Amino acid sequence: MRFADLDTTRPLSKIGLGTWQFGSREWGYGSDYESVAKAIVRRSLDLGITLFDTAEVYGFGRSERILGAALGDDRSRVVVASKLLPLLPLPPVVQQRAVASAARLGVRAIDLYQVHQANPLVSDRTIMRGMRTLQDVGLVGEVGVSNYDLRRWRIAEAALGRRVLSNQVEYSIVNRAAEDDLIPYAEKAGRLVIAYSPLAQGFVSGRYDSANPPSGAVRRANPLFLPENLERGRGLLDTLRAVADAHDATPSQIALAYLIRHPNVVAIPGASSVGQVEANAAAADIDLRDDEYAALAAAARAFRPVTGLAAVPSLIRTRLTR
């Protein structure tokens, strides 16, 4: 495993574990899933993964409970990250919610506490007053944000009066907006971009095509998996496969290696099995050559999926025909 070169109390593995699916019925959560989740977490620890990300809203607190229980006595040697959903982010509420998350996780302090979304009505000055108090009393180590643009990230840091270590955003080889300004800022300022959905919910795996679309509810709602987008993505997938063959790897592993080639980026793919977490962790050891990286970037630029309002008619039509 490799680690981000940042001044943090504990090392941040370049590949972490995202736990959105822990306890979430939309990902197929069932009565036996807690034992599966525990096996995934324990294997992650064996592989050197030190960053475990969750949120109070994942499974309405179940993800935090499952993760905390699975980590057990190892909670103190890894980076446990959670997120606050800022519905009413007044300082006392922020503090109360952090206490509740820490209790569910079974930790004395949350290593990285993130604002899940930018609240359009409440300024970061209000939210960060609560975060600053949490840091002062030792309940929170580092403060982060999620789904913030660069301007709001800087505003949040000014409001906190300390570094806002990280910004967790959707970033994959098919969604590269973070490369425009967030990653350059992170590299310049010594901050971190945490890539969620780094495998584009499995789009880059090559398992799906227009004749074999995914069946899960979450993926069915994602425009990437429309038949026309699966067809448009063939060039990118062919490039991923070609690079993967050169490294005796999978397309998904190459897609992860592409992201974490940036020194100030870590990725937090989810995993539904021990095998998946093993494959994800192995991506940290892949060194892409400059020409391979350039080929991947060019193929990514050439991929123009149908998104936004233009995708709505196809989403409706696809849903009605299944």
Side-chain angles (χ1 to χ4, degrees), residues 20-21 23-29 57-60 62 216-219:
W20 175 17
Q21 74 275 26
S24 299
R25 297 186 186 279
E26 60 267 30
W27 286 104
Y29 173 70
V57 75
Y58 296 166
F60 301 102
R62 287 192 296 269
V218 175
R219 291 184 178 93

Side-chain angles (χ1 to χ4, degrees), residues 3-314:
F3 301 90
D5 186 16
L6 288 173
D7 178 22
T8 53
T9 303
R10 298 189 188 100
L12 291 154
S13 54
K14 293 288 281 181
I15 298 292
L17 179 67
T19 65
W20 175 17
Q21 74 275 26
F22 285 11
S24 299
R25 297 186 186 279
E26 60 267 30
W27 286 104
Y29 173 70
S31 59
D32 63 339
Y33 190 73
E34 290 191 27
S35 62
V36 176
K38 182 176 181 180
I40 290 169
V41 170
R42 301 312 303 177
R43 184 59 178 146
S44 298
L45 292 166
D46 292 341
L47 295 166
I49 289 175
T50 62
L51 174 59
F52 295 83
D53 181 81
T54 184
E56 63 177 7
V57 75
Y58 296 166
F60 301 102
R62 287 192 296 269
S63 174
E64 290 178 320
R65 292 191 188 95
I66 292 170
L67 175 61
L71 286 171
D73 293 339
D74 291 301
R75 289 181 290 242
S76 62
R77 68 181 183 88
V78 300
V79 177
V80 178
S82 193
K83 295 184 285 293
L84 159 81
L85 190 66
L87 293 178
L88 185 65
L90 302 174
V93 176
V94 171
Q95 295 157 26
Q96 181 185 50
R97 302 267 281 281
V99 169
S101 282
R104 287 190 291 268
L105 287 162
V107 298
R108 293 182 178 179
I110 302 171
D111 300 301
L112 174 61
Y113 198 40
Q114 306 153 96
V115 183
H116 209 146
Q117 301 276 350
N119 189 308
L121 302 177
V122 180
S123 77
D124 287 296
R125 288 191 298 274
T126 300
I127 299 169
M128 292 302 161
R129 282 205 305 272
M131 290 290 200
R132 190 163 56 248
T133 298
L134 288 168
Q135 282 188 308
D136 288 344
V137 300
L139 189 60
V140 164
E142 297 282 357
V143 172
V145 293
S146 181
N147 299 302
Y148 273 48
D149 60 24
L150 179 56
R151 173 181 169 276
R152 189 94 188 233
W153 189 2
R154 285 172 160 166
I155 288 173
E157 186 158 89
L160 184 65
R162 302 162 185 170
R163 72 174 180 181
V164 173
L165 175 67
S166 60
N167 192 355
Q168 184 179 142
V169 296
E170 185 174 358
Y171 177 40
S172 69
I173 197 168
V174 300
N175 183 350
R176 296 161 33 255
E179 295 176 3
D180 295 339
D181 54 5
L182 295 180
I183 293 174
Y185 171 72
E187 292 178 356
K188 179 180 178 181
R191 303 293 184 262
L192 186 71
V193 169
I194 302 175
Y196 74 77
S197 197
L199 299 175
Q201 295 184 354
F203 181 88
V204 299
S205 69
R207 292 195 305 268
Y208 308 110
D209 56 36
S210 55
N212 180 39
S215 58
V218 175
R219 291 184 178 93
R220 284 203 311 269
N222 187 336
L224 273 177
F225 294 98
L226 289 170
E228 53 262 55
N229 285 338
L230 289 167
E231 188 65 25
R232 291 185 180 200
R234 288 176 62 184
L236 174 58
L237 290 171
D238 286 346
T239 303
L240 283 166
R241 289 188 185 101
V243 176
D245 288 345
H247 289 268
D248 193 22
T250 67
S252 294
Q253 289 172 322
I254 297 303
L256 289 173
Y258 172 89
L259 304 182
I260 63 173
R261 196 172 190 262
H262 297 284
N264 290 66
V265 172
V266 299
I268 51 168
S272 59
S273 68
V274 167
Q276 283 188 356
V277 80
E278 289 173 341
N280 293 340
D285 295 325
I286 296 173
D287 283 316
L288 296 176
R289 299 193 311 267
D290 289 345
D291 63 319
E292 291 173 330
Y293 182 84
L296 291 165
R301 286 193 298 270
F303 174 48
R304 301 292 179 87
V306 180
T307 59
L309 291 176
V312 172
S314 293

